[in-house]
Amino acid sequence: MVGRAAQGRPWIFREIVHFLATGTELAPPLVAEVRQKVNIPIVTGEAMYSKETFAQCLEARAADILNPDIANCGGLSAMMDIAAMAAPHGVAIAPHNYNSTLVGFAATVAF
């Protein structure tokens, strides 16, 4: 899905996972290849289920913004660990919360 940010900001690809996924998790090297070829921020992470996959994504320099879903990635402590891993890489965190339960939503607010 491609969406246009408000006030003339650049186009942003959102969840390129749909055509780059292998199995149920992201294929970071493929996303990194796309990121190198486009001049727009890449946002991904809502379909990642482990800190290890986020680490692979960061090592591959596959994203400008990560959006882990607190209900998928292992909870609040895992999300805090992911944010700590992302900081040295200059990668922003924007929590995803579309399919989370009320408890997931409350935890995301606490983040």
Side-chain angles (χ1 to χ4, degrees):
M1 172 195 257
V2 178
R4 186 172 179 128
Q7 300 174 352
R9 294 191 179 121
W11 285 81
I12 299 172
F13 275 102
R14 188 180 174 286
E15 265 331 303
I16 56 177
V17 171
H18 296 292
F19 62 91
L20 295 177
T22 57
T24 59
E25 289 203 2
L26 181 68
L30 297 175
V31 180
E33 185 178 336
V34 170
R35 184 174 177 253
Q36 291 172 358
K37 294 180 180 184
V38 298
N39 191 21
I40 57 172
I42 299 297
V43 181
T44 193
E46 71 183 56
M48 292 183 190
Y49 298 96
S50 68
K51 291 190 289 186
E52 292 77 19
T53 306
F54 283 96
Q56 291 171 4
C57 187
L58 291 166
E59 288 171 17
R61 298 179 184 198
D64 299 288
I65 303 166
L66 294 177
N67 65 338
D69 190 304
I70 200 159
N72 291 343
C73 74
L76 184 57
S77 63
M79 189 178 278
M80 297 295 285
D81 291 344
I82 292 163
M85 289 188 302
H89 294 274
V91 174
I93 299 290
H96 178 266
N97 198 36
Y98 176 74
N99 62 346
S100 295
T101 62
L102 183 57
V103 173
F105 174 73
T108 302
V109 171
F111 177 75

